[in-house]
Structure formats: C-alpha cells, structure tokens
Amino acid sequence: MNTLRNRVQLIGNLGNDPEIINLESGKTLAKFNIATNESYTNNKGEKITDTQWHNVVAWGKTAQIIEKYVTKGKEVAIEGKLTSRSYDDKEGNKRYITEVVCSELLMLGKQ
C-alpha cells in the first residue's frame, strides 16, 4: 500500500502544445495541461459534461518523448504524483500551483 500514497493516473487530451524547456544543466522539462471530462445526467434529464484541467510537468526522457510525439489535442494516459509549490509573480503577489509530475506516459488514440 505504500506505493499508493501519492499516485495520480489521468487520461485526457492536451489543451495546447507542450512547452519544452532545455535547462543549462542539460535536463529537459516539458510543461503542458490536459483536460479530463466526466459526463452525467442532471435531474432535468440533460447531459452535462464537466471538464477539469490539470497542469502536468515531465522531466528527462519522458519530456523528450513528449517533445517528439505529443501535440495539442492528443489523448494521453499519464501516471505520476501531485506536487504543490508557490512563487511570486511579476507584481510580487504569491501564487500557488498544483501539478502532476509525470513519471509514465502512454499515447492513446490515433498517432
């Protein structure tokens, strides 16, 4: 059960092309977001689709694969862990962000 402590699995579509950052250290970082959809029928009989957006980051070989093969609209399955961090924006305001750090990626659908 220890492996279940901080584990996220999502299947969704990329909302934009990944942002690829090559760091001075030689590491590669990929940043992107994916949308997951859930549908249900409300009490009026209307079908409602709820879309949630998730920030995702990937490092190293996973980021290199994303750079090469993954683009806006592609369906992917990811596995990773949740992380939270804060930073100060240009106006000096503290901002908070929660991201999924992707450790595994599976490309789904038509490639």
Side-chain angles (χ1 to χ4, degrees), residues 6-28:
N6 185 357
R7 182 172 165 181
V8 177
Q9 294 179 322
L10 298 170
I11 296 175
N13 296 85
L14 268 75
N16 54 7
D17 286 333
E19 176 186 354
I20 305 300
I21 301 168
N22 293 302
L23 302 173
E24 290 179 12
S25 64
K27 291 185 179 181
T28 304

Side-chain angles (χ1 to χ4, degrees), residues 83-99:
T83 61
S84 296
R85 61 184 172 88
S86 64
Y87 64 94
D88 294 326
D89 66 12
K90 293 177 183 175
E91 291 80 37
N93 299 316
K94 191 163 252 349
R95 301 287 181 180
Y96 299 91
I97 188 166
T98 299
E99 302 168 314

Side-chain angles (χ1 to χ4, degrees), residues 24-41:
E24 290 179 12
S25 64
K27 291 185 179 181
T28 304
L29 169 66
K31 296 170 121 182
F32 58 98
N33 58 37
I34 65 171
T36 56
N37 297 310
E38 182 178 358
S39 296
Y40 62 93
T41 304

Side-chain angles (χ1 to χ4, degrees), residues 47-108:
K47 183 178 177 182
I48 306 295
T49 300
D50 179 37
T51 301
Q52 296 290 317
W53 288 93
H54 311 276
N55 296 312
V56 183
V57 296
W59 293 90
K61 291 187 186 276
T62 306
Q64 292 168 355
I65 291 168
I66 291 166
E67 178 180 24
K68 201 170 189 180
Y69 298 108
V70 180
T71 56
K72 178 180 179 178
K74 295 280 187 184
E75 185 178 30
V76 295
I78 64 163
E79 183 174 315
K81 65 179 181 175
L82 278 181
T83 61
S84 296
R85 61 184 172 88
S86 64
Y87 64 94
D88 294 326
D89 66 12
K90 293 177 183 175
E91 291 80 37
N93 299 316
K94 191 163 252 349
R95 301 287 181 180
Y96 299 91
I97 188 166
T98 299
E99 302 168 314
V100 177
V101 178
C102 177
S103 58
E104 292 190 42
L105 172 88
L106 180 62
M107 292 174 277
L108 305 173

